[in-house]
Amino acid sequence: MTTFLQILESFYYVSNMALLVVAIIGLRQLKISRESLRINATRESLMCANSQIQYYLNEVIKLQNILDAEIKKWSIELYDNAEVIIVGNSITVKLNSDNNELEKIVKICGPMLDVLNAMESFSSFFTSKVADESIAYKAVGNTYCHYVKRIMPSLIALETSGFANIFELFRIWYSRIQKQELQEHKQGIEDKLARIDNVTICPLGTQ
């Protein structure tokens, strides 16, 4: 009887050890699977970002150039005269143009919508987190924000017409540009301060 109980105890111990080993192996496999999924997701995000960068450089800029040519053709000065004021997430535009300038905008509606649709498509890949926006920012962030700010008068007028992704990506990237500029300005001031000697003249007999 004692031997039988000892066998049962040994079997119970071995079973527990086996379950522990299986559990450890299972957890390790789960960790490997998660890491593999993370790596694959990162790779796909980078590939998608690269694809969109190429799309922006090859297609979006081409449409922007066509629009710019039309603006020049019709001598539209509204975009150069407009003042875009950005405070936090708030964007306002002062047109500083007369009604004649506003009437000219009708002549470029087609090219303008082509640009906005292309930029909205581009932006949606990053605002939806499908593509890595930090990679695209380094490649086209400055030119993207510069152009969005330039055509802001038309974009504000069409804000409710389905261009939310342009606004969202612009706010993210523009605030990042502003922060970088302020940091560079701050560093420049600190460098100048470091080069200035703090000279004082002590009264006679005080040293």
Side-chain angles (χ1 to χ4, degrees):
M1 185 67 178
T2 302
T3 302
F4 179 70
L5 290 175
Q6 289 175 340
I7 293 173
L8 286 178
E9 288 176 355
S10 299
F11 181 75
Y12 178 75
Y13 175 76
V14 171
S15 297
N16 284 342
M17 290 298 294
L19 288 173
L20 179 61
V21 170
V22 170
I24 292 173
I25 293 173
L27 289 173
R28 184 177 180 185
Q29 289 298 322
L30 180 60
K31 182 179 179 180
I32 293 172
S33 296
R34 287 179 176 175
E35 183 65 16
S36 178
L37 288 173
R38 186 190 67 79
I39 292 172
N40 288 337
T42 300
R43 184 185 298 112
E44 290 176 4
S45 177
L46 292 174
M47 290 175 62
C48 186
N50 183 63
S51 174
Q52 288 306 303
I53 290 169
Q54 296 305 314
Y55 171 71
Y56 191 92
L57 295 174
N58 296 326
E59 301 299 329
V60 178
I61 289 180
K62 184 188 298 181
L63 294 173
Q64 291 173 350
N65 289 337
I66 292 172
L67 174 59
D68 289 342
E70 288 296 303
I71 291 173
K72 184 177 180 180
K73 172 184 174 182
W74 297 106
S75 301
I76 298 173
E77 299 179 356
L78 180 144
Y79 300 102
D80 292 328
N81 295 336
E83 181 183 358
V84 180
I85 303 167
I86 303 171
V87 181
N89 287 328
S90 174
I91 302 174
T92 56
V93 176
K94 292 183 180 179
L95 295 179
N96 301 321
S97 297
D98 56 28
N99 290 333
N100 290 330
E101 282 294 309
L102 295 175
E103 290 174 0
K104 293 179 183 178
I105 300 301
V106 177
K107 301 180 184 297
I108 60 168
C109 281
M112 177 63 72
L113 286 174
D114 289 342
V115 168
L116 293 179
N117 285 328
M119 294 186 76
E120 175 69 11
S121 174
F122 168 84
S123 304
S124 66
F125 281 90
F126 303 102
T127 57
S128 64
K129 302 179 181 180
V130 173
D132 188 335
E133 60 87 13
S134 64
I135 300 298
Y137 171 77
K138 294 175 183 177
V140 298
N142 278 286
T143 184
Y144 175 93
C145 289
H146 174 78
Y147 205 86
V148 171
K149 191 175 179 181
R150 170 172 165 72
I151 61 172
M152 191 61 74
S154 290
L155 195 53
I156 286 286
L158 298 168
E159 185 173 4
T160 59
S161 302
F163 300 110
N165 290 300
I166 295 178
F167 278 100
E168 184 178 351
L169 189 61
F170 173 77
R171 288 187 174 101
I172 293 170
W173 283 359
Y174 188 77
S175 63
R176 193 175 299 168
I177 290 171
Q178 285 185 310
K179 184 175 181 179
Q180 289 176 338
E181 289 176 349
L182 288 171
Q183 287 174 335
E184 290 172 1
H185 183 62
K186 176 185 176 183
Q187 186 62 49
I189 292 174
E190 290 177 349
D191 290 343
K192 289 180 180 179
L193 287 171
R195 290 194 295 269
I196 298 174
D197 294 329
N198 189 19
V199 179
T200 58
I201 299 176
C202 298
L204 291 172
T206 61
Q207 288 184 317

